[in-house]
Amino acid sequence: MEDEPGFDDFVAEHREALLRYAYVLTGNSHDAADLTQEALTRLRDAWSRVRRKSDAHSYARTTMARLHISIWRRHRREHLTGEPPERSWQVVFPSDEEQGLWQELAALPRRQRAVLVLRYYEQLTDAEIAEVLGISTGTVRSQASRALATLRSSLSHSPAAYGSKR
């Protein structure tokens, strides 16, 4: 397949933001890299359509959220290669002090974690989240409520572990 005009520029400009977004979704740097790679592979396949639309970055984020939610439905397939990647990605992940909160977030079910990420990281409305995840707005609200209740409960049991100064 020939290089698609603009795709390499898009990846160079947005790869770090997409990798950070994937990390927020997955809570794991290795899974984040895999999710980003899969989303960029799908974006490349659809690039001729997507580049004509207004926001390829939004398309990539939506693809990542849907892939993250549906990962349990499909079999994971790895494509091994004998060549290392041309460039390495240097992205700053949470510090050791912040890991407690990230571990609690990672312990949430995938859908609850995705709803929180889309609401608080992407700042989407409930209707937009419902559209991205393919669920009802009521489900978005109930998943967010359950996730926040779980996090509040976890954090109240051990506030010192998450940087609280009581």
Side-chain angles (χ1 to χ4, degrees):
M1 175 184 262
E2 292 182 20
D3 288 340
E4 291 288 341
F7 181 76
D8 291 339
D9 294 336
F10 172 83
V11 172
E13 182 179 342
H14 296 284
R15 71 175 175 235
E16 290 182 15
L18 292 173
L19 189 59
R20 282 191 304 271
Y21 178 62
Y23 182 82
V24 173
L25 280 173
T26 64
N28 175 308
S29 60
H30 299 291
D31 291 341
D34 289 345
L35 182 62
T36 304
Q37 179 180 356
E38 180 65 25
L40 288 174
T41 299
R42 290 179 183 215
L43 177 62
R44 170 133 169 109
D45 293 343
W47 186 249
S48 61
R49 276 184 296 115
V50 173
R51 71 176 177 188
R52 290 189 299 256
K53 295 186 179 184
S54 61
D55 194 3
H57 187 76
S58 178
Y59 179 93
R61 288 191 320 255
T62 299
T63 299
M64 292 170 81
R66 289 181 178 168
L67 280 170
H68 175 68
I69 291 297
S70 66
I71 232 161
W72 60 272
R73 293 183 208 147
R74 62 183 172 90
H75 297 292
R76 185 174 183 156
R77 296 181 188 141
E78 294 185 15
H79 302 284
L80 301 177
T81 179
E83 299 177 26
E86 293 176 21
R87 304 174 229 152
S88 64
W89 291 5
Q90 302 278 332
V91 178
V92 178
F93 292 113
S95 67
D96 290 340
E97 296 167 354
E98 298 170 325
Q99 284 301 318
L101 178 58
W102 286 100
Q103 289 171 351
E104 295 297 332
L105 186 61
L108 292 173
R110 288 181 183 275
R111 184 179 285 177
Q112 290 179 11
R113 186 169 54 241
V115 166
L116 291 184
V117 167
L118 293 171
R119 180 181 276 181
Y120 297 107
Y121 185 78
E122 289 293 315
Q123 298 181 351
L124 298 181
T125 66
D126 289 348
E128 291 169 328
I129 295 168
E131 183 180 331
V132 167
L133 299 180
I135 57 178
S136 72
T137 55
T139 301
V140 169
R141 287 191 289 273
S142 69
Q143 293 293 304
S145 176
R146 288 182 187 137
L148 290 172
T150 300
L151 289 176
R152 281 187 199 108
S153 174
S154 298
L155 295 175
S156 69
H157 293 336
S158 180
Y162 306 108
S164 176
K165 308 242 192 260
R166 287 191 184 197

